Amino acid sequence: MTAENSLSGSGKARSGAILHVDMDAFFVSVEHIRRPELKGLPVAVGGPGSRGVVASASYEARAYGVHSAMPSRRARQLCPDIVFLPGDHELYSEVSRRIMGILRSFTPLVEPLSVDEAFLDVSGARRPPVEIGHLIRRQVDSEEGISCAVGVAAVKFLAKLGSKLAKPEPTPSGPSGGAGVFEVPVGEERGFLAPRPVSDIWGVGPATLGHLNRIGITTIGELAELPLEHLEQVVGKAHGRHLHSLANAIDPRPVVPETAAKSMSREETFARDLHTHEDLGAELAALSDSVASRLRSAGVAGRTVTVKVRFGDFSTITRSHTLASAVDSGVVLAREAKQLLNEVDVAPGVRLIGVGVSELEDSGQRQLALDLGEESAADPSWQDVDQAIDRIRDRFGAGAIRTGGTANPNTGATGWNRPR
DNA sequence: TCTGGGGTCCTCTGCCCT
DNA sequence: TCTGAGGGCAGAGGACCC
């Protein structure tokens, strides 16, 4: 379709005003800045252990078939020379904040999707969207040394697909080609989508793809022609309506800057399976402490506590409980989580455990509830303890203090996580 | 091949209430 | 008093995303 040089200035097609900006191999690109000697080498950021996976791979590594979410062991088989880096998520978050700042200098309507991508609504801008895309690429590259791809379209889904098509190809010597900016012109959306595979639709993963393939649907064009009622029977009502709209290039979702988080969680995979409530309880306490700390720094508290347990055979269960009032205390959260865990038979062996909190609300509301004397799972006496813990961590670092029962039981946790 | 971590949204089921 | 229908809600799990 159209690319960097073929569209701009043609004046033949109207431009959509949604941009999707996606960093190229973000974690690896950040590592390249502080370790330039790694440029040109196959590099992966991720968990190097036997149960680790790749979070980000350089284009040189991708040429060997390495990709994100691939088990690290498999990545080493495909590319024995690959350099594994453990990752520095504080640094990635810091770079991400600066890049989002650059994007906000073009429009206040920036919706971050993750650390390395965002939607922008530039409908109010004087410059053409494609030109803004090029300016963004130049500025992110000159100020942060990171390359990115930009998709331009009238709707989010197509802009996202555009950025994917603007990316370079992986080769053993690094990224090659790639338009950098890819536009789907207004009025040409359906023709553009029709021949593309249904897996290009945002929301079609392996399970949905299997369902669609079984009824003979392989392209977006075929999906667009399928009667809605039939599609709803195959993939469910809400999902069916959503996919049908996207296949017809209909995506009314606006760009929403800064949406509040709806849940917070932490989970940990162990190097070896754990079989006792005692071992798991200690790990649960540490995770609860971490989640509670994040809740407090975000100024929120949550009512629903969920414990996630993944067994050695990879089967996964969750147990949740909704409290009378919201909590943000690590001790209270750990107590609830352990009660939930007690309902689970852990003897078969647990490889992963997680703690999550949802039904989040502003901490100010919760304080008001406490002041009014409502029944609460959050014991106010713990608030002083939590505040003291936060002050110590602010001053001496996150590892300066642990709450009781969170001492590392030598569980061999992978220690790998990818912060949002 | 053997699958991390942190999220969101949806569906299904069972329970309670009217 | 019993029973069934239907709505609302909580809990569990699946699918998907990066």
Side-chain angles (χ1 to χ4, degrees), chain A residues 234-286:
Chain A
V234 174
V235 300
K237 270 195 177 296
H239 200 200
R241 277 195 299 272
H242 181 63
L243 296 185
H244 199 261
S245 294
L246 294 185
N248 285 283
I250 300 165
D251 183 6
R253 293 170 297 179
V255 173
V256 182
E258 300 301 333
T259 51
K262 294 182 177 172
S263 66
M264 282 190 195
S265 63
R266 277 237 32 214
E267 57 193 59
E268 198 80 62
T269 297
F270 312 119
R272 56 183 170 76
D273 294 351
L274 301 184
H275 299 264
T276 68
H277 281 103
E278 191 185 7
D279 282 348
L280 290 163
E283 199 62 34
L284 216 43

Side-chain angles (χ1 to χ4, degrees), chain A residues 89-107:
Chain A
H89 299 284
E90 275 187 30
L91 176 64
Y92 307 153
S93 298
E94 178 55 37
V95 176
S96 173
R97 271 192 291 276
R98 291 201 300 265
I99 291 174
M100 295 303 165
I102 293 172
L103 301 185
R104 288 190 188 94
S105 71
F106 288 89
T107 170

Side-chain angles (χ1 to χ4, degrees), chain A residues 62-86:
Chain A
R62 292 180 196 190
Y64 290 88
V66 175
H67 56 78
S68 59
M70 172 181 277
S72 302
R73 192 184 295 172
R74 175 79 179 137
R76 279 214 174 78
Q77 285 170 355
L78 291 171
C79 182
D81 296 331
I82 194 166
V83 178
F84 257 97
L85 301 172

Side-chain angles (χ1 to χ4, degrees), chain A residues 224-379:
Chain A
E225 297 299 321
L226 191 70
L228 176 59
E229 300 74 30
H230 190 178
L231 184 58
E232 286 178 349
Q233 284 168 5
V234 174
V235 300
K237 270 195 177 296
H239 200 200
R241 277 195 299 272
H242 181 63
L243 296 185
H244 199 261
S245 294
L246 294 185
N248 285 283
I250 300 165
D251 183 6
R253 293 170 297 179
V255 173
V256 182
E258 300 301 333
T259 51
K262 294 182 177 172
S263 66
M264 282 190 195
S265 63
R266 277 237 32 214
E267 57 193 59
E268 198 80 62
T269 297
F270 312 119
R272 56 183 170 76
D273 294 351
L274 301 184
H275 299 264
T276 68
H277 281 103
E278 191 185 7
D279 282 348
L280 290 163
E283 199 62 34
L284 216 43
L287 294 173
S288 300
D289 185 39
S290 170
V291 171
S293 179
R294 282 170 56 205
L295 288 170
R296 291 194 296 274
S297 52
V300 295
R303 284 181 60 216
T304 301
V305 180
T306 302
V307 167
K308 173 176 170 180
V309 178
R310 176 166 290 158
F311 295 99
D313 65 357
F314 224 70
S315 61
T316 307
I317 61 163
T318 59
R319 293 291 179 266
S320 61
H321 177 58
T322 301
L323 303 166
S325 62
V327 296
D328 64 2
S329 158
V331 175
V332 178
L333 188 52
R335 188 179 67 205
E336 296 297 329
K338 283 177 184 174
Q339 276 177 15
L340 288 167
L341 183 67
N342 284 339
E343 299 169 13
V344 179
D345 176 16
V346 300
V350 172
R351 68 175 287 144
L352 170 147
I353 197 150
V355 180
V357 178
S358 52
E359 300 294 318
L360 302 186
E361 58 188 52
D362 192 81
S363 290
Q365 292 175 20
R366 171 176 155 273
Q367 182 59 50
L368 186 62
L370 288 171
D371 292 345
L372 292 172
E374 286 187 15
E375 185 201 351
S376 169
D379 183 345

